[in-house]
Amino acid sequence: MENQVTKRRNERGLSQGELAEAVGVTRQTINSVERERYDPSLELAFKLATYFDCRVDDLFDPDLNDE
């Protein structure tokens, strides 16, 4: 699933570790989400959207045409 997490994190000048701490996950989880190796849970997607003050669909594009 394509996402804008890296872009938004960089815009705020945050490390992966800082973002992970803010939303209650590990740095490895943030890394996996950013590299599109892991689709976040609905709970994590909402936490990230809340943190970045945007909608979930502003952060994540499920690219439904690939299915």
Side-chain angles (χ1 to χ4, degrees):
M1 173 179 334
E2 293 181 20
N3 68 73
Q4 299 291 314
V5 176
T6 303
K7 177 181 179 272
R8 292 193 183 241
R9 179 178 59 76
N10 288 334
E11 288 173 350
R12 294 207 179 182
L14 297 168
S15 69
Q16 289 180 339
E18 290 168 329
L19 177 57
E21 186 175 330
V23 296
V25 297
T26 66
R27 184 200 59 78
Q28 291 84 353
T29 297
I30 296 298
N31 181 272
S32 293
V33 169
E34 288 185 356
R35 297 183 78 170
E36 299 175 6
R37 293 183 178 179
Y38 169 73
D39 290 337
S41 66
L42 189 56
E43 179 182 9
L44 177 55
F46 273 100
K47 284 181 178 182
L48 288 164
T50 298
Y51 183 83
F52 289 120
D53 193 28
C54 66
R55 300 177 316 179
V56 171
D57 59 344
D58 291 335
L59 275 182
F60 299 97
D61 179 5
D63 201 9
L64 298 175
N65 295 326
D66 285 349
E67 293 183 26

